[in-house]
C-alpha cells in the first residue's frame, strides 16, 4: 500500500516525489501546517467572551467533532474555554472524557431546574483550560418539558450570562443536536456567533437554507446580536473534484466567513472519540489535529464584518 511521505522524507537529499500526485500534495500541506504552527505560541484572548453555537440541522457534518476539537485546540493554546453539550447523545461529553451517566448534573438541570453552570461544570481531565457541562440521557425529554416553562427559549442564555459575568472565559461553544427544536433555539438565543460546519459532500448545502431562515427568525424575535460569523469546511478530500467544487460553492456564498483551513477526511479524527479523546490529544501531530489547531488559530483573529 502506498504510504504518504513524511516531513523526514522531504528532508532527505535523495528523496524525490512527483509534486503533482495527491499523496505528495497532502504531505506537503502537512509539512506546511507543522512549520506554520511551530512558530505560533499561545493564542490571543478576545476583548470579551465569544459565545458560539455550533449548528447544522443535517446530521453527520461534524458538529460535535468540530465543537470538541476547536475547543480543545484553543484550550491547549492557553485560552479559557467552556464547552456546553446540548445533544442528548452526549458525544461531546464522551470525547472529552467527562462523566455523563444518568443523574449526573448537566445541561438538563441547567435548563429545567435552573441549576447554575457552576454546579454542573466539570474539568476535562486531559486539557487543563477546558471545562465541560455534560449532556445526559435525561436531556432527551427536555424538548417536551421546556414547552410549558416561562422564558423557555432564554433559559440557557440566562445561565451562560451569569457564568461569564463571574468567570474569566474566553470562548464558549455550544454543541447542538441535529434538529431545530427548543434545545437548538435555546443555544441560538444564548450565543452571539454561529459556527456552521459544512461537509464537502454532494448534499452539503441541502437544508442549509432552512437553517439560515431559522437563524433569521431567532435574530428577529429572540437575539438580534446573533450572526453567522464562521463557516468551516469538513471531511474535505483534496484529491477529488467534488470536494473542490463544494468548497468553491460554499466560499462563493459565504465569502470571508469561510475559514481558509478545511478539515480533511481522516480515520484518526473518527478514532479519537472511541478512546474518549479529542484528536488534539489522541494524535497531536496528525493532519487532522494540525488542521483543527490552524482553524482554531484562524477563529481567534476571524471577525468578518456583519452584513448590513
Amino acid at each position: 500500500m502506498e504510504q504518504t511521505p513524511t516531513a523526514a522524507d522531504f528532508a532527505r537529499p535523495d528523496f524525490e516525489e512527483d509534486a503533482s500526485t495527491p499523496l505528495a500534495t497532502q504531505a506537503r500541506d502537512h509539512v506546511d501546517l507543522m512549520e506554520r504552527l511551530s512558530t505560533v505560541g499561545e493564542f490571543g484572548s478576545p476583548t470579551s467572551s465569544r459565545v458560539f453555537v455550533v449548528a447544522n440541522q443535517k446530521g453527520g457534518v461534524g458538529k460535535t467533532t468540530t465543537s470538541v476539537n476547536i475547543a480543545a485546540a484553543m484550550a491547549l493554546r492557553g485560552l479559557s474555554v467552556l464547552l456546553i453539550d446540548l445533544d442528548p447523545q452526549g458525544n461531546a461529553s464522551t470525547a472529552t472524557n467527562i462523566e455523563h451517566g444518568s443523574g449526573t448534573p448537566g445541561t438538563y438541570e441547567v435548563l429545567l431546574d435552573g441549576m447554575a453552570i457552576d454546579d454542573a461544570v466539570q474539568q476535562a481531565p486531559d486539557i487543563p483550560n477546558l471545562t465541560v457541562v455534560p449532556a445526559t440521557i435525561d436531556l432527551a425529554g427536555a424538548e417536551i418539558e421546556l414547552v410549558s416553562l416561562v422564558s423557555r427559549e432564554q433559559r440557557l442564555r440566562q445561565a451562560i450570562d451569569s457564568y461569564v459575568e463571574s468567570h474569566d472565559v474566553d470562548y464558549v461553544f455550544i454543541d447542538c443536536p441535529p434538529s431545530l427544536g427548543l434545545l437548538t433555539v435555546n443555544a441560538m438565543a444564548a450565543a452571539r456567533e454561529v459556527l456552521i460546519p459544512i461537509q464537502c459532500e454532494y448534499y452539503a448545502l441541502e437544508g442549509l437554507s432552512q437553517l439560515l431562515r431559522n437563524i433569521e427568525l431567532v435574530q428577529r424575535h429572540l437575539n438580534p446580536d446573533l450572526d453567522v460569523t464562521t463557516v468551516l469546511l469538513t471531511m474535505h478530500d483534496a484529491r477529488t473534484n467534488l470536494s473542490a467544487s463544494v468548497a468553491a460553492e460554499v466560499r462563493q456564498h459565504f465569502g470571508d466567513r469561510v475559514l481558509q483551513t478545511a478539515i480533511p477526511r481522516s480515520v484518526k479524527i473518527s478514532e479519537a472519540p472511541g478512546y474518549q479523546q479529542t484528536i488534539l490529544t489522541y494524535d497531536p501531530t496528525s493532519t487532522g489535529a494540525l488542521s483543527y489547531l490552524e482553524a482554531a488559530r484562524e477563529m481567534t483573529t476571524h471577525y468578518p464584518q456583519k452584513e448590513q
Side-chain angles (χ1 to χ4, degrees), residues 86-299:
L86 205 60
D87 189 340
Q89 296 179 84
N91 292 334
S93 305
T94 297
T96 49
N97 196 17
I98 294 293
E99 170 59 38
H100 61 288
S102 181
T104 302
T107 46
Y108 176 87
E109 285 75 15
V110 170
L111 287 172
L112 275 300
D113 300 335
M115 177 182 286
I117 287 178
D118 274 302
D119 297 325
V121 73
Q122 297 183 41
Q123 172 66 53
D126 303 322
I127 306 171
N129 294 318
L130 177 63
T131 52
V132 183
V133 180
T136 67
I137 193 62
D138 303 326
L139 195 60
E143 295 269 7
I144 298 172
E145 295 178 71
L146 278 168
V147 170
S148 61
L149 297 184
V150 176
S151 301
R152 61 190 182 190
E153 301 93 350
Q154 300 286 353
R155 297 179 75 85
L156 185 60
R157 177 166 189 155
Q158 293 164 4
I160 291 175
D161 286 351
S162 177
Y163 185 81
V164 167
E165 283 177 8
S166 57
H167 294 77
D168 184 16
V169 180
D170 294 310
Y171 285 83
V172 178
F173 291 97
I174 309 169
D175 181 39
C176 292
S179 67
L180 295 174
L182 270 174
L183 291 177
T184 301
V185 169
N186 255 273
M188 288 183 181
R192 307 299 183 274
E193 303 181 58
V194 183
L195 165 57
I196 304 178
I198 299 178
Q199 86 278 35
C200 296
E201 298 287 354
Y202 181 74
Y203 295 115
L205 304 180
E206 188 177 80
L208 193 57
S209 59
Q210 182 62 47
L211 173 64
L212 296 176
R213 279 196 296 271
N214 280 60
I215 291 172
E216 186 179 342
L217 285 171
V218 172
Q219 289 171 327
R220 191 181 308 153
H221 300 289
L222 295 171
N223 184 5
D225 297 326
L226 186 66
D227 188 37
V228 178
T229 62
T230 312
V231 176
L232 177 65
L233 295 165
T234 63
M235 305 178 197
H236 183 267
D237 189 341
R239 299 169 298 177
T240 67
N241 291 330
L242 176 61
S243 279
S245 63
V246 170
E249 188 173 351
V250 171
R251 292 187 189 281
Q252 182 179 13
H253 183 79
F254 287 102
D256 67 347
R257 296 166 187 246
V258 185
L259 299 180
Q260 291 302 308
T261 305
I263 307 302
R265 185 177 291 280
S266 165
V267 173
K268 292 286 187 182
I269 292 175
S270 301
E271 285 178 351
Y275 295 89
Q276 295 188 307
Q277 293 189 60
T278 68
I279 185 62
L280 277 299
T281 54
Y282 178 66
D283 192 350
T285 61
S286 66
T287 301
L290 294 174
S291 297
Y292 270 115
L293 196 58
E294 175 69 358
R297 185 199 63 77
E298 272 194 76
M299 286 180 65

